[in-house]
Amino acid sequence: MNSNASIITLTTDFGYGDLFVAEMKGVILSINPQAVIVDITHDVEPFDIVEAALIIGYSSAFFPSGTIHVVVVDPGVGSDRKPIIVRAGGNYFVGPDNGVFSRITPDKSVEIAGDKYMIRRDSPTFQGRDIFAPVAAWLSRGVLLSEFGPEIAACKSIDIAGPELIGNELRGEVIHVDRFGNIITNITETNLSQIGKEYQVYVKSKPVGRAAFYSQARPGVLNCLVNSSGHLEIFSYRNSAASQFGISKGDIVVVSCMKD
Amino acid sequence: MNSNASIITLTTDFGYGDLFVAEMKGVILSINPQAVIVDITHDVEPFDIVEAALIIGYSSAFFPSGTIHVVVVDPGVGSDRKPIIVRAGGNYFVGPDNGVFSRITPDKSVEIAGDKYMIRRDSPTFQGRDIFAPVAAWLSRGVLLSEFGPEIAACKSIDIAGPELIGNELRGEVIHVDRFGNIITNITETNLSQIGKEYQVYVKSKPVGRAAFYSQARPGVLNCLVNSSGHLEIFSYRNSAASQFGISKGDIVVVSCMKD
Amino acid sequence: MNSNASIITLTTDFGYGDLFVAEMKGVILSINPQAVIVDITHDVEPFDIVEAALIIGYSSAFFPSGTIHVVVVDPGVGSDRKPIIVRAGGNYFVGPDNGVFSRITPDKSVEIAGDKYMIRRDSPTFQGRDIFAPVAAWLSRGVLLSEFGPEIAACKSIDIAGPELIGNELRGEVIHVDRFGNIITNITETNLSQIGKEYQVYVKSKPVGRAAFYSQARPGVLNCLVNSSGHLEIFSYRNSAASQFGISKGDIVVVSCMKD
């Protein structure tokens, strides 16, 4: 096993105040004491599968090849939804088959079926500890994908809605507010290229200026830029745009082409 | 030293926003750069020794043998309460002798007495950094228990109250609300077995349904199950039972036997 | 490369709920899978350069020689403020030249100029991922300081105000409230030594008692001590002094000499 193979990341909605994450780490280190465990985040909004899918979709691209990503946002734990492993581009993704891997393009997916590599197959409430953590640890020790269970044809994919192009207007929405109160939209650089370089952005019908970077904007007014994940982002320099202007997840964002 | 011996976990009420945890990690890595440091949690309710005792009691069971667990929830820091090391079942526990190790059954306990393995013996406000972190790091480098100080007969144990069995009824209480708003009680699987399989749970006099796993329950109503730590847990599927029903730590939970 | 050289710490205002920190860690581990990454904190108040300067100033002293400290509190990201590396006392500090290293005394500072060791030189919004993380990782692999760019004469230093000594009185202020609600002032042990051992502390004109350690004080009243960073700290035993007495950052703290 090379050292890259032993990086295991964790993305959950377990928070930082309970023992869930610690128990997963203990299980992993009991099986592979050489595993390097990296927290992506444990502050996914509880049960928000789409948020988890976006976070792992973007951040996994920055980890070295061979990384094993465990994602546990799992309202259906204990039901008959399958536990799965997805191999994609040299990396591995371990979690429930509920859409958390919607932004990953699988090379091969298997159902975790045998109980050889898990603590408890019928784990009713905490498969993060009883199934996904030990499976990730055994993967990191070189157990082959085929050892965990049968290949499955497809895994569940949630349609994560992009903006609509109506005439010369993109109609999108706010999908996330970050720690700074910056407003992340579902409108990407690719979407923007459809309507050319001259456009005007509106959020909740308020006009939004444009800037290349944050400190280029005057404080106290709304501006936008394309952020580090390639999404249109609306901000207020050194302020929370969200709380200052009362903007939240789901609010409408419109981009109008200015040439007709 | 084998690699297992160098896992050091940290459980504190220091939070994530101050420099306390970082200074402890710096001290540990200065003494043993090979130590693998794992955060259990730093969000223990300030000064809540019982919460710390329960968290380390449950989560330490999932770490490999030889792990060193440092627990610093320490309202009496600087007073004459002793700093101690507890060896139990192949693991080590380092912290104040104030009850944080009440759920650990010691094989041997020593008072940390000599100042050879600490930064500052009379540390008035931050023994996490000045005593417990360096002691844990030296332990991980193979220093023997007896080197740190004299054996003590017993360490302080807090009675963590379980439920009362009155007639055919268990009377317990809420001991924790987790990140999802799930309600953890002090009633365990072992307690439940005392009154048989047919029982009815009440919280604050409200009747609670039963489910095997979360998604088996209808949203919006209270249900219960035995959770991954073996405790009776009350939940509202995809909701916070705590905020939806106004339930908090200390509220009464009753389990009534339905056969008489 | 020795093992010390591969410790990389992170101090940011990115919080724990977004993907920023994870992407930085992925970049570091892609370049140096042997790097040991330690979070100092990601909860620096957004844009608060002074808070970041104090945190890294104090906590870096506890890490082993050769540690690389990355600090990203960077409201000017994308503007013409320089990205820099500071070498000081055998350690390295990587971040924006905006004052975050005001409490570090440089042996040598360089501007990060070439794009050989970064992902994207003109990164408009996320130089933590695109410049500082990869530069730290290459430093940890032994790339020489001079390889990153030209030496600069000085880096930006913010004057972090200490208290004023007026007659036999020190006039300082509250600079931080910690997780326990303890009140940290800008008055240090060195300042206090200027007015002798007999003094009376006031916060917002309220008199404050003195204690050697927390549990020496009666609950419910204000007391003070010199804390583990050498600052005068005001507390209320087992309570939040800040919320109990309505004290916050910027409030005036006076220390009066009692001998005249």
Side-chain angles (χ1 to χ4, degrees):
Chain A
M1 189 189 63
N2 66 39
S3 61
N4 280 358
S6 68
I7 298 174
I8 298 176
T9 80
L10 305 179
T11 305
T12 77
D13 58 357
F14 293 158
Y16 291 86
D18 292 300
L19 44 59
F20 308 123
V21 174
E23 291 190 351
M24 288 180 67
K25 291 182 180 177
V27 167
I28 290 169
L29 292 169
S30 296
I31 294 167
N32 184 1
Q34 269 72 49
V36 173
I37 304 174
V38 178
D39 300 300
I40 302 274
T41 178
H42 301 291
D43 264 350
V44 173
E45 183 72 19
F47 321 122
D48 193 333
I49 292 168
V50 170
E51 186 181 328
L54 290 168
I55 285 175
I56 199 64
Y58 284 112
S59 60
S60 62
F62 291 90
F63 281 82
S65 180
T67 297
I68 298 162
H69 299 282
V70 180
V71 180
V72 192
V73 175
D74 193 12
V77 61
S79 72
D80 58 4
R81 70 98 194 86
K82 292 185 179 78
I84 57 171
I85 308 171
V86 172
R87 197 184 64 209
N91 301 309
Y92 296 86
F93 297 83
V94 180
D97 186 20
N98 63 6
V100 288
F101 303 131
S102 294
R103 285 298 179 95
I104 306 301
T105 308
D107 296 329
K108 184 177 179 178
S109 303
V110 305
E111 178 185 352
I112 304 167
D115 49 14
K116 188 173 167 189
Y117 300 109
M118 56 179 70
I119 290 178
R120 183 179 170 187
R121 190 181 180 159
D122 66 340
S123 173
T125 62
F126 193 8
Q127 297 190 2
R129 179 191 71 191
D130 296 337
I131 298 180
F132 303 125
V135 162
W138 285 112
L139 259 179
S140 77
R141 284 189 52 176
V143 174
L144 296 176
L145 204 52
S146 55
E147 293 282 310
F148 293 97
E151 189 167 350
I152 54 176
C155 51
K156 183 165 179 181
S157 185
I158 294 176
D159 183 37
I160 301 176
E164 285 183 282
L165 181 63
I166 303 172
N168 56 4
E169 219 172 73
L170 283 168
R171 288 181 67 87
E173 62 178 297
V174 176
I175 55 170
H176 183 63
V177 174
D178 75 13
R179 197 205 178 203
F180 301 97
N182 297 332
I183 287 156
I184 321 302
T185 75
N186 65 343
I187 300 168
T188 65
E189 209 161 7
T190 310
N191 299 137
L192 289 171
S193 70
Q194 294 177 292
I195 61 166
K197 297 203 164 189
E198 294 182 41
Y199 55 78
Q200 171 66 45
V201 174
Y202 301 87
V203 59
K204 290 177 81 176
S205 308
K206 279 187 258 296
V208 174
R210 285 173 69 179
F213 50 90
Y214 299 119
S215 62
Q216 202 181 43
R218 270 193 304 128
V221 295
L222 289 173
N223 274 276
C224 67
L225 47 69
V226 173
N227 74 11
S228 56
S229 300
H231 280 244
L232 182 71
E233 176 179 316
I234 299 167
F235 69 95
S236 172
Y237 179 52
R238 281 179 169 273
N239 265 294
S240 164
S243 58
Q244 197 186 352
F245 292 93
I247 300 165
S248 56
K249 212 166 149 171
D251 282 344
I252 299 298
V253 177
V254 170
V255 183
S256 293
C257 176
M258 287 166 70
K259 286 203 292 203
D260 48 357
Chain B
M1 189 190 61
N2 66 40
S3 59
N4 280 357
S6 68
I7 298 174
I8 297 175
T9 81
L10 306 179
T11 304
T12 77
D13 57 357
F14 293 159
Y16 291 87
D18 292 300
L19 44 60
F20 308 124
V21 175
E23 291 190 351
M24 288 180 68
K25 291 182 180 175
V27 167
I28 290 170
L29 292 169
S30 296
I31 294 167
N32 183 1
Q34 269 72 48
V36 173
I37 304 173
V38 177
D39 300 300
I40 302 274
T41 179
H42 301 291
D43 265 350
V44 173
E45 183 73 19
F47 320 122
D48 193 334
I49 293 167
V50 170
E51 186 181 328
L54 289 168
I55 286 176
I56 199 63
Y58 284 111
S59 61
S60 61
F62 291 90
F63 281 82
S65 181
T67 296
I68 297 161
H69 299 283
V70 180
V71 180
V72 193
V73 175
D74 194 12
V77 61
S79 71
D80 58 4
R81 69 97 194 89
K82 293 184 179 77
I84 56 170
I85 309 171
V86 172
R87 196 183 66 208
N91 301 308
Y92 295 86
F93 297 83
V94 180
D97 187 19
N98 63 6
V100 289
F101 302 131
S102 295
R103 285 296 180 97
I104 306 301
T105 308
D107 296 328
K108 185 178 179 179
S109 304
V110 305
E111 178 184 351
I112 304 168
D115 50 13
K116 186 172 169 191
Y117 299 110
M118 56 180 70
I119 291 179
R120 184 180 169 187
R121 190 181 180 158
D122 66 340
S123 173
T125 63
F126 193 9
Q127 297 189 2
R129 179 191 72 191
D130 297 337
I131 297 180
F132 304 124
V135 163
W138 286 111
L139 258 181
S140 77
R141 284 189 53 177
V143 173
L144 296 176
L145 203 53
S146 54
E147 293 281 310
F148 293 96
E151 189 167 350
I152 54 175
C155 52
K156 184 166 178 179
S157 185
I158 294 176
D159 183 36
I160 301 176
E164 286 182 282
L165 181 63
I166 305 173
N168 56 2
E169 218 173 73
L170 283 168
R171 288 181 68 87
E173 63 178 297
V174 176
I175 55 170
H176 182 63
V177 174
D178 75 13
R179 194 202 180 205
F180 301 96
N182 297 331
I183 288 155
I184 321 302
T185 74
N186 66 343
I187 300 168
T188 65
E189 210 162 5
T190 309
N191 299 138
L192 289 171
S193 69
Q194 295 177 289
I195 60 165
K197 295 202 165 187
E198 293 182 44
Y199 55 77
Q200 171 66 46
V201 174
Y202 300 88
V203 59
K204 291 176 82 176
S205 308
K206 280 187 257 295
V208 174
R210 285 173 68 179
F213 50 89
Y214 299 120
S215 62
Q216 202 183 42
R218 270 193 303 131
V221 295
L222 289 173
N223 274 276
C224 67
L225 46 68
V226 173
N227 75 9
S228 57
S229 300
H231 280 243
L232 181 72
E233 176 179 318
I234 299 166
F235 68 97
S236 171
Y237 180 51
R238 281 181 170 273
N239 266 293
S240 166
S243 58
Q244 197 186 352
F245 294 91
I247 300 165
S248 57
K249 210 166 151 173
D251 282 345
I252 299 297
V253 177
V254 171
V255 185
S256 294
C257 176
M258 286 164 73
K259 287 202 291 203
D260 48 357
Chain C
M1 189 190 61
N2 65 41
S3 61
N4 280 358
S6 67
I7 298 175
I8 298 176
T9 81
L10 305 179
T11 304
T12 78
D13 58 357
F14 293 159
Y16 291 86
D18 292 300
L19 44 59
F20 307 124
V21 175
E23 290 190 352
M24 289 181 67
K25 291 182 180 176
V27 167
I28 290 169
L29 292 170
S30 295
I31 294 167
N32 183 1
Q34 268 73 48
V36 173
I37 304 173
V38 178
D39 300 301
I40 302 274
T41 179
H42 301 290
D43 264 350
V44 173
E45 183 71 21
F47 321 123
D48 193 334
I49 292 167
V50 170
E51 186 182 327
L54 290 169
I55 285 175
I56 199 63
Y58 284 112
S59 60
S60 62
F62 291 90
F63 281 82
S65 180
T67 296
I68 297 161
H69 299 282
V70 181
V71 180
V72 193
V73 174
D74 194 11
V77 60
S79 71
D80 58 5
R81 69 100 194 87
K82 292 186 178 76
I84 57 171
I85 308 171
V86 172
R87 196 184 65 208
N91 302 309
Y92 296 86
F93 297 83
V94 180
D97 186 19
N98 63 6
V100 288
F101 303 130
S102 294
R103 284 297 179 97
I104 306 300
T105 308
D107 296 327
K108 184 177 179 178
S109 303
V110 306
E111 178 184 350
I112 304 167
D115 50 14
K116 186 172 169 191
Y117 300 109
M118 56 179 72
I119 290 178
R120 185 178 169 186
R121 188 181 181 158
D122 66 340
S123 174
T125 63
F126 193 9
Q127 296 190 2
R129 179 191 71 191
D130 296 337
I131 297 180
F132 303 125
V135 163
W138 285 112
L139 260 180
S140 77
R141 284 190 51 178
V143 173
L144 296 176
L145 204 52
S146 55
E147 292 282 309
F148 293 96
E151 189 167 350
I152 54 176
C155 52
K156 183 166 178 181
S157 186
I158 294 176
D159 183 36
I160 301 175
E164 285 182 283
L165 181 63
I166 305 172
N168 56 1
E169 217 172 71
L170 283 168
R171 287 182 68 87
E173 63 178 296
V174 176
I175 54 170
H176 183 62
V177 174
D178 76 12
R179 194 202 181 206
F180 301 96
N182 296 332
I183 287 156
I184 321 301
T185 74
N186 65 344
I187 300 168
T188 65
E189 209 161 6
T190 310
N191 300 139
L192 290 171
S193 69
Q194 295 177 293
I195 60 166
K197 295 202 165 189
E198 293 182 43
Y199 54 78
Q200 171 66 46
V201 174
Y202 301 87
V203 59
K204 293 176 81 175
S205 307
K206 279 187 258 298
V208 174
R210 286 174 69 180
F213 50 90
Y214 299 120
S215 60
Q216 202 181 43
R218 270 192 304 129
V221 296
L222 289 173
N223 273 276
C224 68
L225 47 68
V226 174
N227 73 10
S228 57
S229 300
H231 280 244
L232 182 70
E233 176 179 317
I234 299 166
F235 68 96
S236 172
Y237 179 51
R238 282 180 169 272
N239 266 293
S240 165
S243 57
Q244 196 186 352
F245 293 92
I247 301 165
S248 56
K249 212 167 150 172
D251 282 344
I252 299 299
V253 177
V254 171
V255 183
S256 293
C257 176
M258 286 165 72
K259 286 203 292 203
D260 47 356

